Amino acid sequence: MASGSEDGLGIPSKDYDSLIATTDVELLKRAWQNEKAAPEILQFQADLIRRSQEQIQLMEDTVEEYAENGTDPLTVSLYQMDLDRTQFLLRSYLRIRLQKIEKYMLHISKTELWNRLSKQEQKFAKRSTDHMEKHLKQSVLSRLPYGYQSILKQSISSEDDDMGTISSFCANHFFLMCYCLFLSFLIY
Amino acid sequence: MYGRRACQLVKELSDRDAGQLTAFNRDLFDQVIKECSAHHLELQSLMRIIQEGGLDIQTTRNADHFGAAIHHLALIRNKRCLMAYVYNRTGTIQSLRWKVGPVLPQEIQEKLNYSEEEYFKNYSAALESYMSELELDLTVDMVPPKDPYIQVRVLDDIGDVLLSDQSPNLARHSMHFLKRTDAEQFISQGLMEELTG
């Protein structure tokens, strides 16, 4: 990605275009929108992320250079703003994926969704699952009677993993049930 | 009535505002656990009665069987409520790591039980290791950026700080024009406030 011939005062617009508005930013924006809208985790765009990080790094160096050699501060701050927006896209994309991984930990690790994660995400997911299991075992399961200590089965007499994915321990659902019970108790 | 205490535990979760933590209700939790053990004892004694009566456990359908079934179902219900309680709290704890940072203030730490504190530390470590592998700090930049620089007023004395492009002296009540990403960490700790308008 050539930085073109800058004359120190203005940057030719076609160099600006080739520097900033490469299709990778559009691709990143599209990937971010998809990830935000989809309820399940999508395929990790490893190449896109790697290229975006490299380009962001390059842009950061370029902006620093311009700031130092006294280019028009408005231009510098425009570059800076564009850089910020791209960085936000990148960070938000990774954050959204992390949130989905945290929410559907067990489900992802047991189905083919696992292959949609990057290597680092897989490491994170494994660690997260281990910590969560350890925490649940320590607080609840180890204190329950024998035969009810499984994280995935309600009891050892269950045939399938009927505790559901951990995401189904949604308190709202139980609150509804408990509230109805509570109401019915009040009525009588 | 069976399951009433577990129900209370779960209701506690919805009574508080989202994102807030109440103190871990150790008493109620222990009571539910005790109830589970009691159910289990009853369950076992009923099963023993069936067996001693010479009947087949799998297929008998007499009063003892149904009694045992009730205890079993009550136990499972308590288990689900307890798991929901603990799991829901961990969700809040995770969001605290993003909002507040790797170190929790004292007033929040008091509300966690030992296992939750450990979980927070482990979660924080896993997150940090992921971020360092990517060489990217994901906890900044939480809102889409409007301006690269923002005006802030310092609320607490911070002193001299080395930032990416300047090293201002952040004395109390002073106003500065800082880069958004630099200012964000101070704002989330409550040491600065953004001046809008």
Side-chain angles (χ1 to χ4, degrees), chain A residues 53 77 80-81 84-85 87-88 90-91 94-95 98 102-103 105 118 120-121 123-124 127-128 131-132 134-136 138-141 143-146 148-151 153-155 157 162-163 166-171 174-175 177-179 181-182 185, chain B residues 1 4 7 10-11 13-14 29-30 33 36-37 40 43 72 75-77 79-84 86-88 90 94 98 114-116 118-119 122-123 125-127 129-130 133-134 136-148 179-181:
Chain A
Q53 279 188 292
S77 90
Q80 180 66 47
M81 214 156 84
D84 279 348
R85 286 154 73 115
Q87 275 186 322
F88 170 77
L90 180 63
R91 287 195 174 112
L94 293 168
R95 266 201 295 266
L98 270 190
E102 283 167 10
K103 213 168 159 202
M105 265 188 261
S118 72
Q120 296 93 345
E121 287 176 339
K123 245 196 265 178
F124 175 78
R127 279 176 83 164
S128 269
H131 295 323
M132 177 67 85
K134 177 166 173 242
H135 175 50
L136 284 173
Q138 244 183 322
S139 326
V140 181
L141 297 175
R143 305 176 66 188
L144 289 177
Y146 175 76
Y148 294 87
Q149 290 181 347
S150 161
I151 225 182
K153 297 188 157 54
Q154 296 204 59
S155 72
S157 55
D162 54 0
M163 209 75 209
I166 289 222
S167 62
S168 71
F169 296 156
C170 174
F174 288 98
F175 172 67
M177 278 167 44
C178 299
Y179 195 67
L181 257 177
F182 185 75
F185 187 73
Chain B
M1 190 177 132
R4 197 191 319 175
C7 171
V10 174
K11 270 182 74 177
L13 286 176
S14 22
F29 201 84
D30 290 339
I33 299 269
C36 288
S37 312
H40 190 65
L43 172 65
H72 170 72
L75 223 174
I76 289 185
R77 170 57 170 278
K79 175 177 174 180
R80 288 189 82 119
C81 290
L82 290 175
M83 296 277 263
V86 172
Y87 179 71
N88 214 269
T90 58
Q94 284 171 358
W98 289 91
Y114 171 71
S115 187
E116 292 178 332
E118 237 188 270
Y119 175 78
N122 290 334
Y123 177 75
L127 190 61
S129 137
Y130 176 73
E133 279 183 6
L134 292 179
L136 203 58
D137 185 357
L138 292 179
T139 56
V140 294
D141 231 355
M142 299 293 267
V143 265
K146 281 213 187 109
D147 292 307
K179 245 186 174 176
R180 218 176 18 86
T181 35

Side-chain angles (χ1 to χ4, degrees), chain B residues 19-55:
Chain B
Q20 296 286 7
L21 262 185
T22 50
F24 189 85
N25 198 334
R26 209 158 283 150
D27 292 327
L28 202 49
F29 201 84
D30 290 339
Q31 282 175 21
V32 179
I33 299 269
K34 255 201 282 203
E35 219 183 273
C36 288
S37 312
H39 279 306
H40 190 65
L41 281 173
E42 294 287 325
L43 172 65
Q44 283 185 319
S45 67
L46 282 171
M47 304 276 261
R48 213 174 306 130
I49 294 179
I50 297 183
Q51 277 184 317
E52 281 164 9
L55 303 164

Side-chain angles (χ1 to χ4, degrees), chain B residues 99 149-196:
Chain B
K99 273 197 279 207
Y149 285 85
I150 53 172
Q151 261 208 320
V152 288
R153 184 194 294 129
V154 184
L155 297 173
D156 272 330
D157 237 329
I158 309 174
D160 274 314
V161 176
L162 181 61
L163 301 173
S164 43
D165 56 347
Q166 30 172 318
S167 13
N169 180 2
L170 301 173
R172 203 165 175 207
H173 295 308
S174 59
M175 300 210 288
H176 298 272
F177 208 47
L178 295 184
K179 245 186 174 176
R180 218 176 18 86
T181 35
D182 293 332
E184 257 184 5
Q185 46 160 330
F186 292 118
I187 294 179
S188 69
Q189 289 172 21
L191 299 168
M192 272 191 199
E193 62 175 6
E194 189 179 340
L195 294 173
T196 46

Side-chain angles (χ1 to χ4, degrees), chain A residues 82-142:
Chain A
D82 209 64
L83 181 60
D84 279 348
R85 286 154 73 115
T86 318
Q87 275 186 322
F88 170 77
L89 277 182
L90 180 63
R91 287 195 174 112
S92 191
Y93 175 74
L94 293 168
R95 266 201 295 266
I96 294 174
R97 288 181 65 90
L98 270 190
Q99 278 170 10
K100 285 189 195 170
I101 292 174
E102 283 167 10
K103 213 168 159 202
Y104 302 116
M105 265 188 261
L106 282 190
H107 183 242
I108 287 180
S109 49
K110 291 166 102 198
T111 62
E112 36 87 21
L113 291 178
W114 182 256
N115 301 321
R116 298 192 190 172
L117 270 50
S118 72
K119 283 239 159 22
Q120 296 93 345
E121 287 176 339
Q122 285 178 346
K123 245 196 265 178
F124 175 78
K126 179 96 192 20
R127 279 176 83 164
S128 269
T129 328
D130 290 340
H131 295 323
M132 177 67 85
E133 278 187 22
K134 177 166 173 242
H135 175 50
L136 284 173
K137 279 208 176 83
Q138 244 183 322
S139 326
V140 181
L141 297 175
S142 58

